[in-house]
Amino acid sequence: MSESNRGFTRILRAAAARVPEPRSAHRVLDRLTHPLRADDYSSLIYPLWSSRELRGEIVSVRREADDVVTLVIKPGWGATPTYQPGQYLGIGVLLDGRWTWRSYSLTSAPTSGRGEYSVTVKAMPEGLLSNHIVGTVKPGTIVRLAAPAGDFHLPSPTPDKLMFVTAGSGITPVMGMLRSLDRRSGDEPFPDVVHVHSVRDRQDVLFHDELRALERTQPGYTLHLRVTSEEGRIDAQQMSRLVPDWSQRPTWSCGPSAMLDELTRHFEATGRDDLYVERFTIDRNAGASGGTVTFGTTGRSVELDGATTILEGGEQVGVQMPFGCRMGICQTCVVGLEEGHVRDLRNGTDHSPGERIQTCVSVACGDVELKL
């Protein structure tokens, strides 16, 4: 590309970033350019300019650890940085010719104006997209976006006293909350926050320097770092000694299922209902028998064991059903259950014909037919 063409493209990008997209003009152009749409032409000039879908551009890739990166994403027209700290962002990346979607916790604080999103991604052993993102994705990559969503966020007004309990990459949604509290502390006091964070080894601590800096600049923030390879996992009794007033603190927690299950049992045993959890994984040992799953009018079916989700089974035989987070949070994968019974891996609940189920967290209990 010549220098003059590059300069012209920069001017167009700058103009597009400032000017709302002319939707009515697109409708006129769509008629004139049929069968191609105006988007097909405007995206050649500015890839983030689309009226059909939300798009974003990865503007930086920051390595947090060998297997963790933070993506900073510039949203295109129609996207908004207005969200609740702790929510997640759906991201679609073109991988092997297909748009592959996952949801990742937002680690950025909401801003006024167009702003940018940031998500922090850890490569998982069987994570097709997470491994691609951590190992391959470069700045300049265009991604598709789904609007921020999720119920794991701080209320308004924020409690005067609260606690965060996190482990490993479970710190990511809480990082968005902490950054938001820090940003708005000029207008209102930083609350009394106790943060108990566990990692396997010291080198595994994400955002370590930023957390320690927050301790120095915000007297209301206290960090208790637990290295489990040296000190073992923290239990309820140890938590009581570490945070004597934790019974007075509404708690937000994200991390491994064992930790979340133990916290949940403790809160339930003491009659408390102010524990809010976010799970990144599901327990596949739900005691389901498995069976043959038939995917409605597609005519396709697959034999599944009791640990393979219906969404995964559909993908095995080429049935593309909608999905988002793949963790049972976003409700994108909900379909009708025509025949048979399925079990929810999150809580062991069984669902019967006529109910609507989430395919990303449901496994078969006998033969099943979906309404597609």
Side-chain angles (χ1 to χ4, degrees):
M1 181 184 290
S2 68
E3 184 61 35
S4 61
N5 285 339
R6 283 195 293 269
F8 181 60
T9 299
R10 284 196 295 270
I11 292 171
L12 287 172
R13 284 179 177 236
R18 293 192 300 269
V19 179
E21 184 164 326
R23 295 179 68 88
S24 59
H26 265 267
R27 286 194 290 269
V28 174
L29 287 172
D30 284 341
R31 294 192 183 99
L32 295 176
T33 59
H34 181 77
L36 296 177
R37 300 182 61 177
D39 275 1
D40 299 316
Y41 294 96
S42 63
S43 63
L44 295 175
I45 300 173
Y46 186 56
L48 301 187
W49 212 358
S50 172
S51 61
R52 286 185 286 177
E53 61 195 11
L54 300 179
R55 296 178 183 173
E57 178 182 1
I58 297 175
V59 295
S60 72
V61 180
R62 184 172 65 251
R63 188 159 296 278
E64 308 285 358
D66 290 343
D67 57 349
V68 181
V69 298
T70 291
L71 307 180
V72 178
I73 301 172
K74 175 184 177 182
W77 184 90
T80 172
T82 301
Y83 54 89
Q84 296 293 323
Q87 290 187 307
Y88 55 82
L89 179 70
I91 300 176
V93 179
L94 194 59
L95 179 59
D96 297 330
R98 286 183 51 195
W99 288 98
T100 302
W101 287 82
R102 295 293 185 272
S103 294
Y104 298 106
S105 296
L106 285 153
T107 47
S108 50
T111 60
S112 58
R114 185 157 294 187
E116 293 174 334
Y117 300 123
S118 75
V119 296
T120 301
V121 181
K122 178 180 175 64
M124 304 304 291
E126 298 179 359
L128 177 66
L129 187 55
S130 65
N131 279 281
H132 174 72
I133 288 174
V134 171
T136 307
V137 164
K138 305 294 183 185
T141 301
I142 301 300
V143 296
R144 292 179 177 175
L145 301 175
D151 297 326
F152 187 73
H153 56 78
L154 294 176
S156 182
T158 303
D160 293 333
K161 297 176 65 172
L162 59 108
M163 183 165 71
F164 296 132
V165 181
T166 58
S169 60
I171 196 175
T172 52
V174 165
M175 202 65 211
M177 297 180 189
L178 288 171
R179 286 170 171 166
S180 179
L181 292 173
D182 186 39
R183 173 169 292 180
R184 74 186 194 193
S185 62
D187 301 318
E188 53 188 280
F190 195 96
D192 179 353
V193 177
V194 174
H195 184 187
V196 180
H197 181 54
S198 299
V199 293
R200 183 181 299 276
D201 299 298
R202 292 190 180 276
Q203 63 267 27
D204 295 335
V205 184
L206 298 177
F207 314 114
H208 180 266
D209 292 344
E210 186 174 352
L211 293 172
R212 291 305 186 191
L214 191 62
E215 269 198 311
R216 293 192 299 271
T217 58
Q218 295 292 358
Y221 177 71
T222 301
L223 174 67
H224 295 290
L225 181 62
R226 179 88 171 192
V227 181
T228 59
S229 62
E230 301 172 7
E231 306 168 89
R233 290 178 53 243
I234 191 167
D235 58 27
Q237 289 184 342
Q238 293 170 335
M239 187 83 75
S240 297
R241 292 193 295 269
L242 190 64
V243 190
D245 64 345
W246 76 309
S247 63
Q248 305 168 26
R249 296 177 180 272
T251 299
W252 282 259
S253 183
C254 184
S257 293
M259 181 189 80
L260 298 179
D261 291 343
E262 183 174 351
L263 271 178
T264 299
R265 288 192 296 270
H266 178 79
F267 272 68
E268 290 175 347
T270 54
R272 295 179 58 187
D273 61 357
D274 54 355
L275 172 66
Y276 310 93
V277 302
E278 179 89 311
R279 295 178 184 269
F280 287 166
T281 59
I282 53 178
D283 181 6
R284 294 180 180 267
N285 185 24
S289 61
T292 300
V293 178
T294 302
F295 298 92
T297 56
T298 68
R300 299 183 184 182
S301 62
V302 63
E303 184 74 24
L304 298 179
D305 59 30
T308 302
T309 67
I310 290 172
L311 176 63
E312 293 166 338
E315 291 172 337
Q316 291 176 16
V317 293
V319 177
Q320 301 301 318
M321 294 178 289
F323 66 86
C325 66
R326 301 179 80 100
M327 297 181 293
I329 300 171
C330 69
Q331 305 291 318
T332 303
C333 67
V334 174
V335 302
L337 181 59
E338 187 78 20
E339 298 290 344
H341 295 79
V342 303
R343 182 162 298 163
D344 190 317
L345 290 174
R346 297 169 300 174
N347 50 33
T349 301
D350 289 344
H351 295 280
S352 305
E355 296 186 57
R356 294 179 64 77
I357 65 167
Q358 292 177 258
T359 60
C360 76
V361 290
S362 295
V363 293
C365 295
D367 294 344
V368 169
E369 182 176 349
L370 301 182
K371 188 174 184 179
L372 297 180

